[in-house]
């Protein structure tokens, strides 16, 4: 991609985009585009953004189609921006680019309660989606990555996961239809309000998790679910990571499927609580499992809670706390949600590996050894029932430690040794692509490159994401 026009005569690009989207929705004024250059990737890790960028905020898929046709003609790269909450640099333009923001595509198109589905434009945020469902429906949508500023289109593009995947799965399990503007400008509609659909290749699922490299998602139909009426929250504390992790498969084997099972090192719970001006309710032990249960009746809720405590005691749990009231439950969940925030300026990298859930205890042993080997106090937080652990590699006085690359690669290799993955839910983006070859063969990577070339022959979209 040459991007010559954007570098040398940016005003020409601005003028052409204004003809498509209108004067109010295009700018290359640095003070106005500043907020569109970075996402939530750790500052120490994120790549440097190019400032030779133009932000355009199209108001329809047809405008997006024209923008992409223009970008192909002029050989200008385009980067799609959703809520900007991504953590792998996916939305950071590292070359001169048109930054295409979906923020104006923010309407709910249809709430179809009979089919248990909702159709929204891609720029609807998770917060807005939850509010609409809360106010207008008895149905709910389960996927919840940690930041409600994420847009539905961004959640599809990253195949977001989050805490509730234990019971309800990830984004891929709930997307039924997509409207997508392909890199060439063609608009396609994939899938439908169908629960079974086997015709041809599954392009819908190819788009999910494609991180903006195969097309721009403009409309999404999601499956909704009946709400469970009774919810409860439990904290169960242990003295060892291994005991905590071994208890989890035993609970699932017993037929109990909590909404969420989260693992937290006690340092994280205490620091997060302190940051919020409160205290973490548990004091015994050194690590905690946090269970959220949602059941259809009170008996089931209490029965399952008791069963969980009983099973955890067999695995040497030292304490259990049941949050009785909604206020207590909110308090605990707020501390969990805030787990990353107080460390943000002190973390080099919050990793996102997954291993088969039964291998988590051995994986934690490897992390302990690496922590000692590199003298880095690696903290862990995770969606433990999914085998998805976020390990925090701490900074060295605000800088990336000299051994950072080496340590990170050893952690990835530890995960892959158990058949794991470098990234469970955050995606490849720009910060994880270097390690594609740890997980895939050259043949597999070449097939992926070939697929991308079919969709985007001129390499217009999201340059530098997933592959160089
Ligand atoms: C505090 C915090 C907690 C988080 N917790 C979780 C978690 O538990 N689980 C989880 O999965 N993630 C989590 N995330 C990461 C992030 O919220 C998700 O990846 C989210 O899905 C990104 O959505 P977004 O709209 O912000 O996308 P952006 O950051 O704007 O973009 C992400 C990628 O998707 C592409 N993209 C965005 N919109 C579109 C579109 N309409 N069409 C095509 N491509 C598009 C972008 O080009 C980019 O490559 C967390 C982030 C933060 C800051």
């Amino acid at each position: 991609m040459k991007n010559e026009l954007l570098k040398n005569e940016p005003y020409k690009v601005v003028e052409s985009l204004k003809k498509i989207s209108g004067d109010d929705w295009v700018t290359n004024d640095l003070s106005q585009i500043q907020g569109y250059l970075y996402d939530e990737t750790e500052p120490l890790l994120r790549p440097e953004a190019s400032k030779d960028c133009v932000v355009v905020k199209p108001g329809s898929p047809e405008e997006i189609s024209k923008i992409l046709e223009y970008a192909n003609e002029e050989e200008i790269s385009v980067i799609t921006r959703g809520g900007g909450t991504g953590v792998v640099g996916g939305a950071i333009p590292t070359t001169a680019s048109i930054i295409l923001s979906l923020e104006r595509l923010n309407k709910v198109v249809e709430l179809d309660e009979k089919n248990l589905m909702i159709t929204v434009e891609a720029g609807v945020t998770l917060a807005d989606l939850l509010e609409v469902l809360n106010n207008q429906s008895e149905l709910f949508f389960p996927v919840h990555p940690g930041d409600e500023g994420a847009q539905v289109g961004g959640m599809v593009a990253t195949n977001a996961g989050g805490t509730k995947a234990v019971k309800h799965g990830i984004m891929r399990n709930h997307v039924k239809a997509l409207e997508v503007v392909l890199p060439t400008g063609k608009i396609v509609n994939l899938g439908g309000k169908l629960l079974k659909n086997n015709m041809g290749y599954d392009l819908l699922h190819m788009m999910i998790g494609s991180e903006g490299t195969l097309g721009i998602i403009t409309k999404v139909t999601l499956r909704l679910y009946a709400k469970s009426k009774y919810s409860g929250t439990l904290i169960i504390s242990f003295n060892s990571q291994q005991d905590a992790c071994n208890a989890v498969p035993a609970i699932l084997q017993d037929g109990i499927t909590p909404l969420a099972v989260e693992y937290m090192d006690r340092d994280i719970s205490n620091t997060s609580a302190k940051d919020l001006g409160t205290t973490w309710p548990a004091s015994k032990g050194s690590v905690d499992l946090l269970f959220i249960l949602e059941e259809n009746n009170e008996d089931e809720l209490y029965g399952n809670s008791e069963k969980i405590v009983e099973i955890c005691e067999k695995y040497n749990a030292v304490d259990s706390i049941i949050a009785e009231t909604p206020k207590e439950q909110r308090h605990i969940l707020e501390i969990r949600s805030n787990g990353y925030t107080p460390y943000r300026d002190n973390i080099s990298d919050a990793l996102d590996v997954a291993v088969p859930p039964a291998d988590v205890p051995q994986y934690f042993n490897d992390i302990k050894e690496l922590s000692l080997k590199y003298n880095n106090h690696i903290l862990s937080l995770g969606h433990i029932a999914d085998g998805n652990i976020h390990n925090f590699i701490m900074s060295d006085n605000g800088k990336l430690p000299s051994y950072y690359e080496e340590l990170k690669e050893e952690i990835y290799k530890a995960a892959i040794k158990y058949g794991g993955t470098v990234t469970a839910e955050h995606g490849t983006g720009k910060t994880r692509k270097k390690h594609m070859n740890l997980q895939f063969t050259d043949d597999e990577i070449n097939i992926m490159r070939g697929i991308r070339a079919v969709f985007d022959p001129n390499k217009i979209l999201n340059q530098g994401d997933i592959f160089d």
Side-chain angles (χ1 to χ4, degrees), residues 39-40 79-92 102 122-123 143-163 210-213 215-218 336-337 340-341 344 352 383 388 390 424-427 429-430 462 465:
D39 57 12
E40 290 295 326
I79 192 139
T80 307
R81 187 175 179 89
T85 70
V87 287
V88 290
I92 300 178
L102 270 297
V143 181
H144 195 289
D147 191 324
E148 291 185 5
Q151 294 179 358
V152 173
M155 289 167 63
V156 177
T158 56
N159 188 22
T163 48
S210 64
E211 297 182 45
T213 60
I216 299 182
I217 297 156
T218 48
R336 162 59 189 92
S337 301
Y340 168 76
T341 313
R344 195 170 186 272
D352 174 42
H383 314 305
N388 179 191
H390 300 304
E425 56 179 14
H426 294 161
K430 296 188 179 70
N462 281 38
D465 280 344

Side-chain angles (χ1 to χ4, degrees), residues 219-231:
K219 206 192 289 172
V220 183
T221 300
L222 297 168
R223 181 92 158 94
L224 301 175
Y225 301 85
K227 275 182 199 151
S228 303
K229 295 193 174 57
Y230 295 86
S231 69

